[in-house]
PDB file of all heavy atoms in Angstrom:
ATOM      1  N   SER Q   1     101.032 121.551 107.914  1.00  0.00           N
ATOM      2  CA  SER Q   1      99.758 122.215 108.195  1.00  0.00           C
ATOM      3  C   SER Q   1      99.588 123.402 107.253  1.00  0.00           C
ATOM      4  O   SER Q   1     100.538 124.078 106.883  1.00  0.00           O
ATOM      5  CB  SER Q   1      99.694 122.663 109.659  1.00  0.00           C
ATOM      6  OG  SER Q   1     100.663 123.642 109.901  1.00  0.00           O
ATOM      7  N   GLY Q   2      98.367 123.618 106.840  1.00  0.00           N
ATOM      8  CA  GLY Q   2      98.077 124.741 105.949  1.00  0.00           C
ATOM      9  C   GLY Q   2      98.265 124.433 104.475  1.00  0.00           C
ATOM     10  O   GLY Q   2      98.088 125.322 103.649  1.00  0.00           O
ATOM     11  N   VAL Q   3      98.627 123.205 104.116  1.00  0.00           N
ATOM     12  CA  VAL Q   3      98.792 122.869 102.706  1.00  0.00           C
ATOM     13  C   VAL Q   3      97.448 122.433 102.126  1.00  0.00           C
ATOM     14  O   VAL Q   3      96.510 122.113 102.843  1.00  0.00           O
ATOM     15  CB  VAL Q   3      99.847 121.747 102.493  1.00  0.00           C
ATOM     16  CG1 VAL Q   3     101.214 122.189 102.975  1.00  0.00           C
ATOM     17  CG2 VAL Q   3      99.436 120.469 103.163  1.00  0.00           C
ATOM     18  N   MET Q   4      97.374 122.414 100.820  1.00  0.00           N
ATOM     19  CA  MET Q   4      96.149 121.982 100.149  1.00  0.00           C
ATOM     20  C   MET Q   4      95.830 120.542 100.542  1.00  0.00           C
ATOM     21  O   MET Q   4      96.735 119.733 100.726  1.00  0.00           O
ATOM     22  CB  MET Q   4      96.314 122.070  98.632  1.00  0.00           C
ATOM     23  CG  MET Q   4      96.462 123.480  98.110  1.00  0.00           C
ATOM     24  SD  MET Q   4      94.990 124.477  98.378  1.00  0.00           S
ATOM     25  CE  MET Q   4      93.835 123.687  97.280  1.00  0.00           C
ATOM     26  N   PRO Q   5      94.548 120.213 100.661  1.00  0.00           N
ATOM     27  CA  PRO Q   5      94.186 118.840 101.032  1.00  0.00           C
ATOM     28  C   PRO Q   5      94.538 117.856  99.923  1.00  0.00           C
ATOM     29  O   PRO Q   5      94.615 118.213  98.750  1.00  0.00           O
ATOM     30  CB  PRO Q   5      92.674 118.911 101.245  1.00  0.00           C
ATOM     31  CG  PRO Q   5      92.230 120.132 100.558  1.00  0.00           C
ATOM     32  CD  PRO Q   5      93.396 121.073 100.491  1.00  0.00           C
ATOM     33  N   ASP Q   6      94.734 116.611 100.311  1.00  0.00           N
ATOM     34  CA  ASP Q   6      94.999 115.550  99.357  1.00  0.00           C
ATOM     35  C   ASP Q   6      93.755 115.320  98.511  1.00  0.00           C
ATOM     36  O   ASP Q   6      92.641 115.625  98.928  1.00  0.00           O
ATOM     37  CB  ASP Q   6      95.340 114.252 100.081  1.00  0.00           C
ATOM     38  CG  ASP Q   6      96.604 114.371 100.913  1.00  0.00           C
ATOM     39  OD1 ASP Q   6      97.234 115.450 100.906  1.00  0.00           O
ATOM     40  OD2 ASP Q   6      96.966 113.391 101.556  1.00  0.00           O
ATOM     41  N   SER Q   7      93.965 114.766  97.321  1.00  0.00           N
ATOM     42  CA  SER Q   7      92.818 114.466  96.478  1.00  0.00           C
ATOM     43  C   SER Q   7      93.087 113.218  95.647  1.00  0.00           C
ATOM     44  O   SER Q   7      94.232 112.827  95.430  1.00  0.00           O
ATOM     45  CB  SER Q   7      92.486 115.642  95.557  1.00  0.00           C
ATOM     46  OG  SER Q   7      93.518 115.846  94.629  1.00  0.00           O
ATOM     47  N   ILE Q   8      92.013 112.617  95.216  1.00  0.00           N
ATOM     48  CA  ILE Q   8      92.060 111.487  94.304  1.00  0.00           C
ATOM     49  C   ILE Q   8      91.235 111.863  93.090  1.00  0.00           C
ATOM     50  O   ILE Q   8      90.079 112.271  93.214  1.00  0.00           O
ATOM     51  CB  ILE Q   8      91.498 110.213  94.955  1.00  0.00           C
ATOM     52  CG1 ILE Q   8      92.410 109.760  96.091  1.00  0.00           C
ATOM     53  CG2 ILE Q   8      91.322 109.102  93.917  1.00  0.00           C
ATOM     54  CD1 ILE Q   8      91.864 108.610  96.908  1.00  0.00           C
ATOM     55  N   LEU Q   9      91.857 111.766  91.925  1.00  0.00           N
ATOM     56  CA  LEU Q   9      91.155 112.019  90.676  1.00  0.00           C
ATOM     57  C   LEU Q   9      90.866 110.684  90.009  1.00  0.00           C
ATOM     58  O   LEU Q   9      91.746 109.825  89.916  1.00  0.00           O
ATOM     59  CB  LEU Q   9      92.005 112.880  89.734  1.00  0.00           C
ATOM     60  CG  LEU Q   9      92.398 114.264  90.240  1.00  0.00           C
ATOM     61  CD1 LEU Q   9      93.297 114.952  89.228  1.00  0.00           C
ATOM     62  CD2 LEU Q   9      91.169 115.103  90.526  1.00  0.00           C
ATOM     63  N   ILE Q  10      89.650 110.509  89.549  1.00  0.00           N
ATOM     64  CA  ILE Q  10      89.241 109.329  88.805  1.00  0.00           C
ATOM     65  C   ILE Q  10      88.962 109.798  87.375  1.00  0.00           C
ATOM     66  O   ILE Q  10      88.175 110.722  87.165  1.00  0.00           O
ATOM     67  CB  ILE Q  10      87.973 108.686  89.416  1.00  0.00           C
ATOM     68  CG1 ILE Q  10      88.232 108.299  90.869  1.00  0.00           C
ATOM     69  CG2 ILE Q  10      87.510 107.496  88.588  1.00  0.00           C
ATOM     70  CD1 ILE Q  10      89.357 107.309  91.075  1.00  0.00           C
ATOM     71  N   PHE Q  11      89.611 109.166  86.393  1.00  0.00           N
ATOM     72  CA  PHE Q  11      89.498 109.596  85.004  1.00  0.00           C
ATOM     73  C   PHE Q  11      88.430 108.770  84.281  1.00  0.00           C
ATOM     74  O   PHE Q  11      88.653 107.637  83.851  1.00  0.00           O
ATOM     75  CB  PHE Q  11      90.863 109.508  84.317  1.00  0.00           C
ATOM     76  CG  PHE Q  11      91.885 110.378  85.004  1.00  0.00           C
ATOM     77  CD1 PHE Q  11      92.987 109.825  85.615  1.00  0.00           C
ATOM     78  CD2 PHE Q  11      91.712 111.750  85.074  1.00  0.00           C
ATOM     79  CE1 PHE Q  11      93.918 110.623  86.263  1.00  0.00           C
ATOM     80  CE2 PHE Q  11      92.630 112.560  85.719  1.00  0.00           C
ATOM     81  CZ  PHE Q  11      93.742 111.997  86.320  1.00  0.00           C
ATOM     82  N   GLN Q  12      87.264 109.363  84.168  1.00  0.00           N
ATOM     83  CA  GLN Q  12      86.062 108.692  83.679  1.00  0.00           C
ATOM     84  C   GLN Q  12      86.250 108.046  82.309  1.00  0.00           C
ATOM     85  O   GLN Q  12      85.942 106.876  82.120  1.00  0.00           O
ATOM     86  CB  GLN Q  12      84.908 109.687  83.632  1.00  0.00           C
ATOM     87  CG  GLN Q  12      83.628 109.074  83.109  1.00  0.00           C
ATOM     88  CD  GLN Q  12      82.480 110.064  83.077  1.00  0.00           C
ATOM     89  OE1 GLN Q  12      82.557 111.137  83.660  1.00  0.00           O
ATOM     90  NE2 GLN Q  12      81.421 109.707  82.390  1.00  0.00           N
ATOM     91  N   ARG Q  13      86.715 108.803  81.326  1.00  0.00           N
ATOM     92  CA  ARG Q  13      86.804 108.274  79.956  1.00  0.00           C
ATOM     93  C   ARG Q  13      87.765 107.091  79.880  1.00  0.00           C
ATOM     94  O   ARG Q  13      87.499 106.121  79.181  1.00  0.00           O
ATOM     95  CB  ARG Q  13      87.235 109.357  78.974  1.00  0.00           C
ATOM     96  CG  ARG Q  13      86.262 110.486  78.853  1.00  0.00           C
ATOM     97  CD  ARG Q  13      85.028 110.038  78.102  1.00  0.00           C
ATOM     98  NE  ARG Q  13      84.126 111.158  77.969  1.00  0.00           N
ATOM     99  CZ  ARG Q  13      82.833 111.039  77.932  1.00  0.00           C
ATOM    100  NH1 ARG Q  13      82.268 109.867  77.993  1.00  0.00           N
ATOM    101  NH2 ARG Q  13      82.069 112.091  77.826  1.00  0.00           N
ATOM    102  N   ASN Q  14      88.875 107.160  80.598  1.00  0.00           N
ATOM    103  CA  ASN Q  14      89.836 106.058  80.560  1.00  0.00           C
ATOM    104  C   ASN Q  14      89.265 104.794  81.193  1.00  0.00           C
ATOM    105  O   ASN Q  14      89.473 103.691  80.693  1.00  0.00           O
ATOM    106  CB  ASN Q  14      91.146 106.459  81.232  1.00  0.00           C
ATOM    107  CG  ASN Q  14      91.909 107.483  80.421  1.00  0.00           C
ATOM    108  OD1 ASN Q  14      91.489 107.871  79.341  1.00  0.00           O
ATOM    109  ND2 ASN Q  14      93.029 107.928  80.947  1.00  0.00           N
ATOM    110  N   ILE Q  15      88.547 104.967  82.297  1.00  0.00           N
ATOM    111  CA  ILE Q  15      87.935 103.800  82.930  1.00  0.00           C
ATOM    112  C   ILE Q  15      86.852 103.219  82.017  1.00  0.00           C
ATOM    113  O   ILE Q  15      86.748 101.998  81.868  1.00  0.00           O
ATOM    114  CB  ILE Q  15      87.380 104.160  84.323  1.00  0.00           C
ATOM    115  CG1 ILE Q  15      88.562 104.367  85.288  1.00  0.00           C
ATOM    116  CG2 ILE Q  15      86.443 103.067  84.835  1.00  0.00           C
ATOM    117  CD1 ILE Q  15      88.186 104.745  86.695  1.00  0.00           C
ATOM    118  N   GLU Q  16      86.087 104.076  81.364  1.00  0.00           N
ATOM    119  CA  GLU Q  16      85.069 103.579  80.442  1.00  0.00           C
ATOM    120  C   GLU Q  16      85.686 102.784  79.289  1.00  0.00           C
ATOM    121  O   GLU Q  16      85.096 101.814  78.810  1.00  0.00           O
ATOM    122  CB  GLU Q  16      84.242 104.745  79.892  1.00  0.00           C
ATOM    123  CG  GLU Q  16      83.330 105.369  80.924  1.00  0.00           C
ATOM    124  CD  GLU Q  16      82.637 106.628  80.439  1.00  0.00           C
ATOM    125  OE1 GLU Q  16      83.064 107.232  79.429  1.00  0.00           O
ATOM    126  OE2 GLU Q  16      81.653 107.014  81.096  1.00  0.00           O
ATOM    127  N   LEU Q  17      86.887 103.173  78.870  1.00  0.00           N
ATOM    128  CA  LEU Q  17      87.549 102.468  77.772  1.00  0.00           C
ATOM    129  C   LEU Q  17      87.932 101.032  78.124  1.00  0.00           C
ATOM    130  O   LEU Q  17      87.991 100.173  77.246  1.00  0.00           O
ATOM    131  CB  LEU Q  17      88.809 103.227  77.324  1.00  0.00           C
ATOM    132  CG  LEU Q  17      88.585 104.477  76.492  1.00  0.00           C
ATOM    133  CD1 LEU Q  17      89.897 105.224  76.293  1.00  0.00           C
ATOM    134  CD2 LEU Q  17      87.975 104.121  75.143  1.00  0.00           C
ATOM    135  N   VAL Q  18      88.210 100.761  79.384  1.00  0.00           N
ATOM    136  CA  VAL Q  18      88.648  99.420  79.767  1.00  0.00           C
ATOM    137  C   VAL Q  18      87.518  98.545  80.294  1.00  0.00           C
ATOM    138  O   VAL Q  18      87.744  97.398  80.661  1.00  0.00           O
ATOM    139  CB  VAL Q  18      89.809  99.463  80.800  1.00  0.00           C
ATOM    140  CG1 VAL Q  18      91.012 100.194  80.234  1.00  0.00           C
ATOM    141  CG2 VAL Q  18      89.363 100.092  82.108  1.00  0.00           C
ATOM    142  N   CYS Q  19      86.301  99.073  80.299  1.00  0.00           N
ATOM    143  CA  CYS Q  19      85.163  98.327  80.837  1.00  0.00           C
ATOM    144  C   CYS Q  19      84.128  98.051  79.749  1.00  0.00           C
ATOM    145  O   CYS Q  19      83.898  98.890  78.876  1.00  0.00           O
ATOM    146  CB  CYS Q  19      84.504  99.111  81.970  1.00  0.00           C
ATOM    147  SG  CYS Q  19      85.604  99.365  83.367  1.00  0.00           S
ATOM    148  N   ASN Q  20      83.513  96.879  79.832  1.00  0.00           N
ATOM    149  CA  ASN Q  20      82.510  96.488  78.846  1.00  0.00           C
ATOM    150  C   ASN Q  20      81.092  96.444  79.412  1.00  0.00           C
ATOM    151  O   ASN Q  20      80.152  96.163  78.667  1.00  0.00           O
ATOM    152  CB  ASN Q  20      82.849  95.109  78.269  1.00  0.00           C
ATOM    153  CG  ASN Q  20      84.129  95.165  77.468  1.00  0.00           C
ATOM    154  OD1 ASN Q  20      84.312  96.037  76.649  1.00  0.00           O
ATOM    155  ND2 ASN Q  20      85.030  94.234  77.738  1.00  0.00           N
ATOM    156  N   SER Q  21      80.946  96.656  80.696  1.00  0.00           N
ATOM    157  CA  SER Q  21      79.610  96.611  81.304  1.00  0.00           C
ATOM    158  C   SER Q  21      79.569  97.513  82.523  1.00  0.00           C
ATOM    159  O   SER Q  21      80.602  97.943  83.026  1.00  0.00           O
ATOM    160  CB  SER Q  21      79.260  95.179  81.718  1.00  0.00           C
ATOM    161  OG  SER Q  21      80.075  94.769  82.803  1.00  0.00           O
ATOM    162  N   ARG Q  22      78.364  97.750  83.002  1.00  0.00           N
ATOM    163  CA  ARG Q  22      78.200  98.559  84.213  1.00  0.00           C
ATOM    164  C   ARG Q  22      78.869  97.879  85.405  1.00  0.00           C
ATOM    165  O   ARG Q  22      79.521  98.534  86.209  1.00  0.00           O
ATOM    166  CB  ARG Q  22      76.721  98.794  84.499  1.00  0.00           C
ATOM    167  CG  ARG Q  22      76.462  99.579  85.766  1.00  0.00           C
ATOM    168  CD  ARG Q  22      75.011 100.013  85.867  1.00  0.00           C
ATOM    169  NE  ARG Q  22      74.653 100.536  87.139  1.00  0.00           N
ATOM    170  CZ  ARG Q  22      75.102 101.670  87.686  1.00  0.00           C
ATOM    171  NH1 ARG Q  22      75.965 102.404  87.034  1.00  0.00           N
ATOM    172  NH2 ARG Q  22      74.694 102.068  88.872  1.00  0.00           N
ATOM    173  N   ALA Q  23      78.743  96.571  85.497  1.00  0.00           N
ATOM    174  CA  ALA Q  23      79.360  95.835  86.604  1.00  0.00           C
ATOM    175  C   ALA Q  23      80.886  95.986  86.574  1.00  0.00           C
ATOM    176  O   ALA Q  23      81.510  96.198  87.616  1.00  0.00           O
ATOM    177  CB  ALA Q  23      78.971  94.355  86.544  1.00  0.00           C
ATOM    178  N   GLU Q  24      81.484  95.888  85.390  1.00  0.00           N
ATOM    179  CA  GLU Q  24      82.931  96.086  85.270  1.00  0.00           C
ATOM    180  C   GLU Q  24      83.312  97.516  85.648  1.00  0.00           C
ATOM    181  O   GLU Q  24      84.334  97.736  86.286  1.00  0.00           O
ATOM    182  CB  GLU Q  24      83.401  95.800  83.845  1.00  0.00           C
ATOM    183  CG  GLU Q  24      83.502  94.344  83.502  1.00  0.00           C
ATOM    184  CD  GLU Q  24      84.066  94.123  82.104  1.00  0.00           C
ATOM    185  OE1 GLU Q  24      84.699  95.029  81.536  1.00  0.00           O
ATOM    186  OE2 GLU Q  24      83.838  93.023  81.566  1.00  0.00           O
ATOM    187  N   LEU Q  25      82.506  98.469  85.248  1.00  0.00           N
ATOM    188  CA  LEU Q  25      82.769  99.875  85.550  1.00  0.00           C
ATOM    189  C   LEU Q  25      82.776 100.115  87.058  1.00  0.00           C
ATOM    190  O   LEU Q  25      83.707 100.734  87.594  1.00  0.00           O
ATOM    191  CB  LEU Q  25      81.727 100.763  84.867  1.00  0.00           C
ATOM    192  CG  LEU Q  25      81.932 102.250  85.030  1.00  0.00           C
ATOM    193  CD1 LEU Q  25      83.012 102.735  84.081  1.00  0.00           C
ATOM    194  CD2 LEU Q  25      80.636 102.989  84.769  1.00  0.00           C
ATOM    195  N   VAL Q  26      81.759  99.601  87.737  1.00  0.00           N
ATOM    196  CA  VAL Q  26      81.674  99.752  89.193  1.00  0.00           C
ATOM    197  C   VAL Q  26      82.884  99.105  89.859  1.00  0.00           C
ATOM    198  O   VAL Q  26      83.503  99.688  90.745  1.00  0.00           O
ATOM    199  CB  VAL Q  26      80.349  99.151  89.724  1.00  0.00           C
ATOM    200  CG1 VAL Q  26      80.354  99.054  91.236  1.00  0.00           C
ATOM    201  CG2 VAL Q  26      79.166  99.981  89.237  1.00  0.00           C
ATOM    202  N   ASP Q  27      83.248  97.910  89.413  1.00  0.00           N
ATOM    203  CA  ASP Q  27      84.387  97.204  89.985  1.00  0.00           C
ATOM    204  C   ASP Q  27      85.692  97.947  89.728  1.00  0.00           C
ATOM    205  O   ASP Q  27      86.536  98.075  90.623  1.00  0.00           O
ATOM    206  CB  ASP Q  27      84.460  95.785  89.410  1.00  0.00           C
ATOM    207  CG  ASP Q  27      85.517  94.951  90.092  1.00  0.00           C
ATOM    208  OD1 ASP Q  27      85.494  94.851  91.343  1.00  0.00           O
ATOM    209  OD2 ASP Q  27      86.376  94.391  89.375  1.00  0.00           O
ATOM    210  N   GLU Q  28      85.864  98.478  88.530  1.00  0.00           N
ATOM    211  CA  GLU Q  28      87.113  99.187  88.196  1.00  0.00           C
ATOM    212  C   GLU Q  28      87.235 100.487  88.972  1.00  0.00           C
ATOM    213  O   GLU Q  28      88.329 100.842  89.423  1.00  0.00           O
ATOM    214  CB  GLU Q  28      87.191  99.458  86.690  1.00  0.00           C
ATOM    215  CG  GLU Q  28      88.533  99.983  86.244  1.00  0.00           C
ATOM    216  CD  GLU Q  28      89.675  99.032  86.571  1.00  0.00           C
ATOM    217  OE1 GLU Q  28      89.609  97.864  86.188  1.00  0.00           O
ATOM    218  OE2 GLU Q  28      90.653  99.487  87.219  1.00  0.00           O
ATOM    219  N   VAL Q  29      86.139 101.204  89.142  1.00  0.00           N
ATOM    220  CA  VAL Q  29      86.182 102.436  89.942  1.00  0.00           C
ATOM    221  C   VAL Q  29      86.573 102.099  91.379  1.00  0.00           C
ATOM    222  O   VAL Q  29      87.423 102.758  91.975  1.00  0.00           O
ATOM    223  CB  VAL Q  29      84.836 103.197  89.889  1.00  0.00           C
ATOM    224  CG1 VAL Q  29      84.797 104.302  90.931  1.00  0.00           C
ATOM    225  CG2 VAL Q  29      84.611 103.769  88.495  1.00  0.00           C
ATOM    226  N   ARG Q  30      85.981 101.052  91.926  1.00  0.00           N
ATOM    227  CA  ARG Q  30      86.310 100.628  93.291  1.00  0.00           C
ATOM    228  C   ARG Q  30      87.794 100.289  93.414  1.00  0.00           C
ATOM    229  O   ARG Q  30      88.473 100.756  94.318  1.00  0.00           O
ATOM    230  CB  ARG Q  30      85.456  99.414  93.668  1.00  0.00           C
ATOM    231  CG  ARG Q  30      85.718  98.897  95.057  1.00  0.00           C
ATOM    232  CD  ARG Q  30      84.915  97.606  95.322  1.00  0.00           C
ATOM    233  NE  ARG Q  30      85.327  96.994  96.548  1.00  0.00           N
ATOM    234  CZ  ARG Q  30      86.419  96.231  96.689  1.00  0.00           C
ATOM    235  NH1 ARG Q  30      87.187  95.995  95.663  1.00  0.00           N
ATOM    236  NH2 ARG Q  30      86.733  95.722  97.844  1.00  0.00           N
ATOM    237  N   LYS Q  31      88.301  99.472  92.488  1.00  0.00           N
ATOM    238  CA  LYS Q  31      89.720  99.088  92.530  1.00  0.00           C
ATOM    239  C   LYS Q  31      90.637 100.301  92.376  1.00  0.00           C
ATOM    240  O   LYS Q  31      91.657 100.404  93.059  1.00  0.00           O
ATOM    241  CB  LYS Q  31      90.033  98.063  91.442  1.00  0.00           C
ATOM    242  CG  LYS Q  31      89.465  96.694  91.731  1.00  0.00           C
ATOM    243  CD  LYS Q  31      89.997  95.630  90.790  1.00  0.00           C
ATOM    244  CE  LYS Q  31      89.585  95.864  89.376  1.00  0.00           C
ATOM    245  NZ  LYS Q  31      89.908  94.741  88.472  1.00  0.00           N
ATOM    246  N   THR Q  32      90.258 101.210  91.491  1.00  0.00           N
ATOM    247  CA  THR Q  32      91.090 102.395  91.253  1.00  0.00           C
ATOM    248  C   THR Q  32      91.120 103.294  92.484  1.00  0.00           C
ATOM    249  O   THR Q  32      92.189 103.766  92.892  1.00  0.00           O
ATOM    250  CB  THR Q  32      90.587 103.170  90.017  1.00  0.00           C
ATOM    251  OG1 THR Q  32      90.626 102.287  88.881  1.00  0.00           O
ATOM    252  CG2 THR Q  32      91.453 104.388  89.742  1.00  0.00           C
ATOM    253  N   VAL Q  33      89.966 103.521  93.091  1.00  0.00           N
ATOM    254  CA  VAL Q  33      89.925 104.354  94.300  1.00  0.00           C
ATOM    255  C   VAL Q  33      90.754 103.704  95.414  1.00  0.00           C
ATOM    256  O   VAL Q  33      91.543 104.372  96.081  1.00  0.00           O
ATOM    257  CB  VAL Q  33      88.474 104.618  94.760  1.00  0.00           C
ATOM    258  CG1 VAL Q  33      88.441 105.262  96.140  1.00  0.00           C
ATOM    259  CG2 VAL Q  33      87.755 105.508  93.750  1.00  0.00           C
ATOM    260  N   LEU Q  34      90.587 102.402  95.617  1.00  0.00           N
ATOM    261  CA  LEU Q  34      91.372 101.711  96.649  1.00  0.00           C
ATOM    262  C   LEU Q  34      92.874 101.783  96.357  1.00  0.00           C
ATOM    263  O   LEU Q  34      93.685 101.975  97.270  1.00  0.00           O
ATOM    264  CB  LEU Q  34      90.927 100.259  96.788  1.00  0.00           C
ATOM    265  CG  LEU Q  34      89.555 100.064  97.426  1.00  0.00           C
ATOM    266  CD1 LEU Q  34      89.142  98.596  97.358  1.00  0.00           C
ATOM    267  CD2 LEU Q  34      89.529 100.572  98.857  1.00  0.00           C
ATOM    268  N   HIS Q  35      93.248 101.656  95.091  1.00  0.00           N
ATOM    269  CA  HIS Q  35      94.659 101.776  94.712  1.00  0.00           C
ATOM    270  C   HIS Q  35      95.191 103.164  95.068  1.00  0.00           C
ATOM    271  O   HIS Q  35      96.285 103.295  95.638  1.00  0.00           O
ATOM    272  CB  HIS Q  35      94.826 101.511  93.214  1.00  0.00           C
ATOM    273  CG  HIS Q  35      96.195 101.770  92.708  1.00  0.00           C
ATOM    274  ND1 HIS Q  35      97.183 100.810  92.705  1.00  0.00           N
ATOM    275  CD2 HIS Q  35      96.758 102.904  92.221  1.00  0.00           C
ATOM    276  CE1 HIS Q  35      98.296 101.346  92.232  1.00  0.00           C
ATOM    277  NE2 HIS Q  35      98.069 102.610  91.924  1.00  0.00           N
ATOM    278  N   GLU Q  36      94.434 104.193  94.727  1.00  0.00           N
ATOM    279  CA  GLU Q  36      94.880 105.560  95.010  1.00  0.00           C
ATOM    280  C   GLU Q  36      94.914 105.833  96.512  1.00  0.00           C
ATOM    281  O   GLU Q  36      95.810 106.523  96.996  1.00  0.00           O
ATOM    282  CB  GLU Q  36      94.000 106.576  94.274  1.00  0.00           C
ATOM    283  CG  GLU Q  36      94.018 106.435  92.756  1.00  0.00           C
ATOM    284  CD  GLU Q  36      95.403 106.413  92.135  1.00  0.00           C
ATOM    285  OE1 GLU Q  36      96.333 107.051  92.663  1.00  0.00           O
ATOM    286  OE2 GLU Q  36      95.563 105.731  91.104  1.00  0.00           O
ATOM    287  N   ILE Q  37      93.964 105.288  97.266  1.00  0.00           N
ATOM    288  CA  ILE Q  37      94.003 105.414  98.725  1.00  0.00           C
ATOM    289  C   ILE Q  37      95.279 104.775  99.264  1.00  0.00           C
ATOM    290  O   ILE Q  37      95.892 105.270 100.213  1.00  0.00           O
ATOM    291  CB  ILE Q  37      92.746 104.783  99.363  1.00  0.00           C
ATOM    292  CG1 ILE Q  37      91.535 105.688  99.114  1.00  0.00           C
ATOM    293  CG2 ILE Q  37      92.938 104.557 100.858  1.00  0.00           C
ATOM    294  CD1 ILE Q  37      90.205 105.072  99.522  1.00  0.00           C
ATOM    295  N   GLY Q  38      95.704 103.694  98.645  1.00  0.00           N
ATOM    296  CA  GLY Q  38      96.959 103.044  99.042  1.00  0.00           C
ATOM    297  C   GLY Q  38      98.144 103.986  99.001  1.00  0.00           C
ATOM    298  O   GLY Q  38      99.047 103.906  99.841  1.00  0.00           O
ATOM    299  N   HIS Q  39      98.160 104.895  98.049  1.00  0.00           N
ATOM    300  CA  HIS Q  39      99.245 105.885  97.986  1.00  0.00           C
ATOM    301  C   HIS Q  39      99.244 106.803  99.204  1.00  0.00           C
ATOM    302  O   HIS Q  39     100.291 107.265  99.634  1.00  0.00           O
ATOM    303  CB  HIS Q  39      99.152 106.724  96.704  1.00  0.00           C
ATOM    304  CG  HIS Q  39      99.444 105.963  95.464  1.00  0.00           C
ATOM    305  ND1 HIS Q  39     100.686 105.453  95.181  1.00  0.00           N
ATOM    306  CD2 HIS Q  39      98.640 105.603  94.437  1.00  0.00           C
ATOM    307  CE1 HIS Q  39     100.656 104.833  94.018  1.00  0.00           C
ATOM    308  NE2 HIS Q  39      99.412 104.898  93.550  1.00  0.00           N
ATOM    309  N   HIS Q  40      98.071 107.049  99.737  1.00  0.00           N
ATOM    310  CA  HIS Q  40      97.950 107.901 100.934  1.00  0.00           C
ATOM    311  C   HIS Q  40      98.575 107.245 102.155  1.00  0.00           C
ATOM    312  O   HIS Q  40      99.124 107.913 103.019  1.00  0.00           O
ATOM    313  CB  HIS Q  40      96.463 108.191 101.186  1.00  0.00           C
ATOM    314  CG  HIS Q  40      96.186 109.074 102.353  1.00  0.00           C
ATOM    315  ND1 HIS Q  40      96.581 110.388 102.383  1.00  0.00           N
ATOM    316  CD2 HIS Q  40      95.546 108.838 103.519  1.00  0.00           C
ATOM    317  CE1 HIS Q  40      96.191 110.923 103.541  1.00  0.00           C
ATOM    318  NE2 HIS Q  40      95.571 110.008 104.245  1.00  0.00           N
TER     319      HIS Q  40
END
């Protein structure tokens, strides 16, 4: 109790580098957020 809250950082430029379209970008952000939530 009293510690800093947990956080998830999403690295925009890196995700943009691996995506070729808006649809891929949306999908990759979703997968990345879910992956990071898994760590929680």
Side-chain angles (χ1 to χ4, degrees):
S1 65
V3 298
M4 293 295 292
D6 297 358
S7 66
I8 293 173
L9 300 177
I10 301 300
F11 300 116
Q12 179 179 347
R13 297 288 182 211
N14 290 358
I15 288 179
E16 289 173 343
L17 284 172
V18 300
C19 297
N20 294 312
S21 69
R22 178 169 169 67
E24 283 184 19
L25 184 79
V26 169
D27 187 54
E28 189 59 54
V29 168
R30 180 185 170 280
K31 288 191 295 189
T32 301
V33 170
L34 289 173
H35 173 89
E36 299 308 329
I37 287 172
H39 291 293
H40 181 66

